[in-house]
């Protein structure tokens, strides 16, 4: 991976590896995170939100079955919170306020379904920093 952090990037020189040219891509997936050429995190945050919203179906089904709040909190912590916290230490500091707000909206939606308060996004990050 070649990164050029200059303000005005020079045209990239052709890279070859074992006599075959290496192509340039705008983004790639590495260990579950999407890294873009400009080091913006909107794609990974959108991917995280999409995965978390897909799990809302199961959370709502648990609510329909009248499970206790504690069981739904355990489900949220094990399934949804683990998705929200995936590589949070990498992208949280560089995320825009809009992206953080979108993630916080997912947490507030889960709070409404479960009916109790959950850790906010900064709280989740601080909890992981202690580990």
């Amino acid at each position: 991976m070649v990164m050029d952090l200059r303000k005005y990037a020079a045209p990239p020189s052709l890279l070859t590896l074992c006599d075959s040219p290496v192509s340039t891509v705008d983004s790639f997936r590495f260990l579950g995170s999407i890294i873009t050429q400009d080091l913006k995190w909107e794609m990974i945050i959108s991917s995280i939100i999409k995965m978390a919203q897909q799990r809302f179906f199961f959370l709502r089904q648990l609510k329909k079955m009248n499970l206790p709040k504690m069981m739904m909190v355990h489900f949220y912590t094990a399934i949804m919170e683990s998705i929200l916290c995936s590589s949070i230490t990498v992208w949280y500091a560089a995320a825009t306020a809009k992206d953080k707000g979108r993630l916080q909206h997912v947490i507030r939606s889960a709070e409404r379904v479960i009916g109790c308060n959950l850790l906010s996004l900064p709280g989740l990050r601080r909890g992981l920093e202690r580990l």
Side-chain angles (χ1 to χ4, degrees):
M1 179 166 90
V2 176
M3 300 176 101
D4 187 3
L5 300 175
R6 291 181 279 187
K7 192 171 189 177
Y8 301 105
S13 59
L14 184 62
L15 295 175
T16 57
L17 186 63
C18 295
D19 295 328
S20 62
V22 177
S23 62
T24 305
V25 295
D26 293 331
S27 64
F28 67 96
R29 196 170 200 57
F30 182 71
L31 296 176
S33 294
I34 302 170
I35 301 173
T36 60
Q37 193 171 17
D38 58 357
L39 295 178
K40 302 288 183 197
W41 299 103
E42 288 124 10
M43 288 180 71
I44 185 67
I45 292 171
S46 295
S47 172
I48 288 170
I49 290 171
K50 182 180 176 184
M51 286 188 289
Q53 287 176 339
Q54 289 172 345
R55 277 37 173 215
F56 265 115
F57 171 78
F58 300 109
L59 188 63
R60 288 186 184 103
Q61 293 294 48
L62 294 176
K63 175 129 177 127
K64 285 181 186 176
M65 290 188 275
N66 295 323
L67 253 64
K69 286 182 184 180
M70 206 58 209
M71 292 289 287
M72 289 191 290
V73 169
H74 287 305
F75 175 83
Y76 168 80
T77 304
I79 305 300
M80 296 179 71
E81 193 174 279
S82 64
I83 292 169
L84 293 172
C85 291
S86 62
S87 62
I88 192 170
T89 55
V90 174
W91 54 257
Y92 185 82
T96 63
K98 178 184 172 188
D99 289 333
K100 289 178 185 177
R102 290 172 47 212
L103 287 163
Q104 189 61 42
H105 178 72
V106 171
I107 296 170
R108 283 193 312 267
S109 297
E111 286 177 343
R112 284 192 298 273
V113 170
I114 295 171
C116 68
N117 292 331
L118 301 169
L119 276 177
S120 65
L121 192 63
L124 291 175
R125 181 171 181 252
R126 280 191 298 272
L128 289 175
E129 285 177 348
R130 286 187 225 140
L131 295 177

